[in-house]
Amino acid sequence: MDQEYAVRVDHAVVRFNMASERIDNLKEYFVKLVRRELMFKEFLALKDVSFQVGKGEAWGIIGTNGSGKSTLLKLICGILKPYKGSVKINGSIAPLIELGAGFDGDLTARENIFLNGAVLGYDKHFMQAHFDEIVDFAELWNFLDMPIKNYSSGMAARLGFAIATIVRPDILICDEVLAVGDFAFQQKCERRMTEMRENGTTLLYVSHSIDSVKSVCDHALWLDHGNVKMQGDVETVGNAYMEALR
């Protein structure tokens, strides 16, 4: 029974220390640090968060800016560690938190496909075999030999998404990465995510578009200032969230 979950978060707390006074230079910072005069105030980005994602489910993480959505995804990916509580993962994760984080702006898109693939753990032969598929999906054949630094954010996102989803992971994590793309490409990405779900991939999806969350997800988790405000089926939670915004 334990193997039926993909992600389980139990009473997770994420804490950050924020300097309580302004320090203008590095020297002053280290002097205060040595003298133990540096004061911090505690900021809890997530407060006692618990939820469980079954294998093959799609969860939308919703909430206003600063509610803890991205922090929760980084916790699940292992980028952050919980101050209290635990996070358990069943399966491989493909995190789409910062598309193109492995790109080099001075290299062409063609070169960056192989570079980004290497960052994600794919060898050259694998990338060669999937090269046409990546460029077809990203719709960038006319811009392959242009340096990435000359790409718009939407073009870079398209390429990053195409590379990151060539392998069907057990768990796909998407954080607002489609917001920079045009509407037609957003729909194309949603179709690919739906297709991956139909093949058994579990999805965690952050978006400010409730319509997008409803079209892709079957469950939703509503965060408010680091607290779980509500969780359950996507229609009920989504409607309650929109009502609260009004």
Side-chain angles (χ1 to χ4, degrees):
M1 192 70 181
D2 228 21
Q3 299 305 309
E4 292 307 307
Y5 73 86
V7 177
R8 191 162 71 198
V9 179
D10 288 316
H11 303 288
V13 176
V14 172
R15 182 184 73 164
F16 296 118
N17 282 329
M18 301 186 341
S20 58
E21 56 186 310
R22 182 173 173 175
I23 297 172
D24 294 322
N25 59 68
L26 204 56
K27 180 182 176 184
E28 186 182 352
Y29 174 86
F30 282 112
V31 167
K32 284 185 175 288
L33 188 65
V34 170
R35 291 179 177 171
R36 297 187 179 180
E37 294 173 357
L38 201 59
M39 301 297 291
F40 292 99
K41 58 184 177 184
E42 184 180 80
F43 171 68
L44 298 180
L46 293 177
K47 307 165 189 172
D48 197 34
V49 171
S50 294
F51 75 112
Q52 183 166 308
V53 178
K55 287 187 176 179
E57 292 179 351
W59 281 69
I61 315 296
I62 60 176
T64 55
N65 287 334
S67 60
K69 304 185 299 295
S70 296
T71 300
L72 177 60
L73 294 193
K74 287 175 181 174
L75 184 71
I76 291 166
C77 290
I79 297 169
L80 297 174
K81 297 296 181 189
Y83 172 61
K84 290 179 182 174
S86 65
V87 178
K88 293 181 180 176
I89 306 297
N90 253 333
S92 61
I93 293 182
L96 303 185
I97 290 179
E98 290 180 35
L99 285 183
F103 289 156
D104 183 323
D106 292 321
L107 298 180
T108 65
R110 186 187 302 275
E111 292 164 328
N112 267 295
I113 288 173
F114 291 96
L115 173 64
N116 202 236
V119 169
L120 293 171
Y122 308 138
D123 62 30
K124 185 177 180 181
H125 296 297
F126 179 88
M127 296 307 293
Q128 285 172 331
H130 290 83
F131 185 86
D132 287 2
E133 178 193 342
I134 290 166
V135 184
D136 278 340
F137 188 89
E139 302 167 7
L140 293 172
W141 281 108
N142 294 331
F143 308 97
L144 266 184
D145 297 305
M146 179 191 290
I148 285 280
K149 65 184 177 186
N150 295 333
Y151 271 30
S152 67
S153 56
M155 290 166 71
R158 277 154 54 180
L159 187 58
F161 186 91
I163 296 169
T165 56
I166 47 172
V167 168
R168 304 296 183 257
D170 297 321
I171 303 163
L172 177 66
I173 291 182
C174 242
D175 182 9
E176 282 293 355
V177 292
L178 308 182
V180 291
D182 58 69
F183 181 69
F185 191 75
Q186 286 176 22
Q187 288 186 308
K188 189 176 181 178
C189 291
E190 285 180 16
R191 285 195 297 273
R192 175 165 278 196
M193 288 190 289
T194 301
E195 172 199 317
M196 291 172 79
R197 276 205 60 216
E198 288 168 352
N199 289 321
T201 295
T202 302
L203 176 67
L204 292 176
Y205 181 50
V206 165
S207 175
H208 282 295
S209 168
I210 294 299
D211 289 338
S212 179
V213 169
K214 284 182 177 181
S215 71
V216 173
C217 303
D218 44 39
H219 294 74
L221 178 78
W222 173 10
L223 290 177
D224 181 44
H225 293 92
N227 296 294
V228 175
K229 184 86 171 178
M230 190 177 182
Q231 60 179 297
D233 75 272
V234 70
E235 284 291 331
T236 304
V237 178
N239 291 342
Y241 173 65
M242 291 306 294
E243 190 61 36
L245 288 184
R246 291 191 193 101

